[in-house]
Amino acid sequence: LPYSYYDENETGKIMSRITNDLQNVSELAHHGPENVFICGVMVIGSFIYLFIVNWLLALIILCCVPILLTISLIMRKKMRDAFSENRKNVATINASLESSISGIRVTKAFTNKEKEIEKFEVGNIDYVKSRSKAYKAMGMFHSSTSFIMDLFNVVCIVSGGILAIKGKIQLPDYMAFVVSISLFINPLTTLVNFVEQYQDGVTGFKRFIEIMDEKVEIESDNPIDDVKLKGNIKFNNVSFSYETTSNVLNNVSFDVNNGETIALVGESGRGKTTICHLIPNFY
């Protein structure tokens, strides 16, 4: 990636994408296919068994599944937004920590501890808020889906009781159905709970893709190869700006003759480093 990418993105945020986000992607890749395959086979197999026991009662239970899927999809969107915001705030905290730890000598030299704590606390407060939203979304998701899962048992008992009274189902079949309904509900519960891990992994993958979709550095079609620099550097009315900042350099002109030594002096952000990066054509 070009230098400009690293100017616009702090080291801690890039590290967060490479470590935290990809860890969630690997967890999804590890457990995802396993959960989907095993639970999928169990759901299909258990439903076939329940259908054989009593097809009418099995169809009644099946009618509850669309309600579960609808609620899961609605809640999943809220979880996705909450997890995405949480990821960004984790990256901000990592960036703050990376900056503070790498610059600890400067902090100590200027007794700047309170300022560093204040900087960290800004990101920390945002993280707590986003994490609270994530937990709220997770709580709503699990409570809603658990309610529907419990509803399966209620529907099974009530519907089976009505069918038994009307003689549509034999008592032994009814008892077998009530006992076996867990074979259908348990893997379904696992699949629903898997949504949380899926959302976590997808959010991490999306942030990873953002890096991969960045345009790579464009190399010159006619690079100068094996050249021996001998000084005589000339800046002639050079202006330069980064993507998110106004001009750092405005019509800068100076000459550095062969063998001559000069000093660039100025406050932070005045363009000293930028000039040094322009000479070897980093931009």
Side-chain angles (χ1 to χ4, degrees):
L1 293 173
Y3 263 86
S4 57
Y5 178 81
Y6 299 96
D7 293 327
E8 306 297 332
N9 294 273
E10 296 172 271
T11 303
K13 291 184 178 181
I14 299 173
M15 291 174 63
S16 180
R17 291 178 187 248
I18 295 172
T19 54
N20 296 358
D21 292 343
L22 287 185
Q23 173 66 23
N24 289 322
V25 173
S26 66
E27 285 296 308
L28 175 61
H30 176 207
H31 296 292
E34 173 188 352
N35 286 339
V36 171
F37 177 75
I38 295 175
C39 294
V41 170
M42 289 184 67
V43 167
I44 295 171
S46 60
F47 181 76
I48 292 173
Y49 171 73
L50 294 176
F51 192 85
I52 293 172
V53 172
N54 187 275
W55 66 270
L56 186 57
L57 195 53
L59 289 178
I60 293 173
I61 297 300
L62 186 63
C63 291
C64 297
V65 174
I67 301 174
L68 177 65
L69 294 176
T70 301
I71 291 177
S72 298
L73 289 173
I74 293 172
M75 295 300 174
R76 190 179 75 87
K77 184 179 183 301
K78 293 183 179 180
M79 286 178 63
R80 180 193 64 198
D81 296 340
F83 275 115
S84 181
E85 184 179 350
N86 186 65
R87 286 268 173 271
K88 292 176 182 177
N89 286 314
V90 168
T92 300
I93 286 181
N94 285 344
S96 175
L97 284 173
E98 189 274 334
S99 175
S100 297
I101 294 170
S102 62
I104 191 66
R105 288 169 179 78
V106 176
T107 301
K108 285 182 173 293
F110 288 90
T111 59
N112 216 25
K113 182 180 74 172
E114 297 300 327
K115 188 66 178 176
E116 290 299 317
I117 293 174
E118 182 181 318
K119 281 167 56 182
F120 173 80
E121 198 57 34
V122 171
N124 196 39
I125 290 172
D126 289 338
Y127 171 74
V128 170
K129 289 179 180 178
S130 66
R131 197 61 187 168
S132 297
K133 288 181 181 177
Y135 279 132
K136 182 179 179 180
M138 288 165 57
M140 292 174 65
F141 175 81
H142 288 298
S143 59
S144 301
T145 52
S146 296
F147 174 77
I148 299 300
M149 290 299 182
D150 293 337
L151 195 63
F152 274 72
N153 286 313
V154 175
V155 170
C156 175
I157 294 171
V158 173
S159 302
I162 294 172
L163 292 175
I165 292 171
K166 292 185 176 183
K168 299 285 186 180
I169 184 173
Q170 298 298 317
L171 186 60
D173 290 340
Y174 173 50
M175 296 302 296
F177 201 99
V178 171
V179 172
S180 303
I181 190 67
S182 60
L183 294 174
F184 181 71
I185 294 176
N186 290 342
L188 206 59
T189 303
T190 303
L191 282 177
V192 169
N193 291 335
F194 168 68
V195 171
E196 180 184 334
Q197 186 183 50
Y198 170 79
Q199 200 57 66
D200 224 1
V202 166
T203 302
F205 185 72
K206 183 179 178 182
R207 285 168 55 79
F208 163 70
I209 287 297
E210 287 176 1
I211 291 184
M212 301 306 293
D213 285 344
E214 286 285 336
K215 293 182 179 179
V216 298
E217 189 166 36
I218 300 173
E219 300 288 349
S220 174
D221 293 331
N222 300 299
I224 301 173
D225 191 23
D226 194 28
V227 64
K228 294 182 179 180
L229 301 178
K230 297 181 179 180
N232 299 322
I233 298 168
K234 183 180 183 68
F235 272 61
N236 186 16
N237 292 324
V238 175
S239 297
F240 182 84
S241 65
Y242 297 103
E243 287 185 9
T244 58
T245 57
S246 56
N247 276 12
V248 179
L249 302 177
N250 286 295
N251 296 323
V252 175
S253 299
F254 63 87
D255 294 325
V256 184
N257 297 320
N258 184 20
E260 185 179 7
T261 301
I262 68 165
L264 299 174
V265 182
E267 297 176 6
S268 178
R270 294 298 183 181
K272 303 184 297 296
T273 304
T274 300
I275 289 174
C276 293
H277 286 168
L278 288 174
I279 294 172
N281 201 27
F282 286 161
Y283 296 97

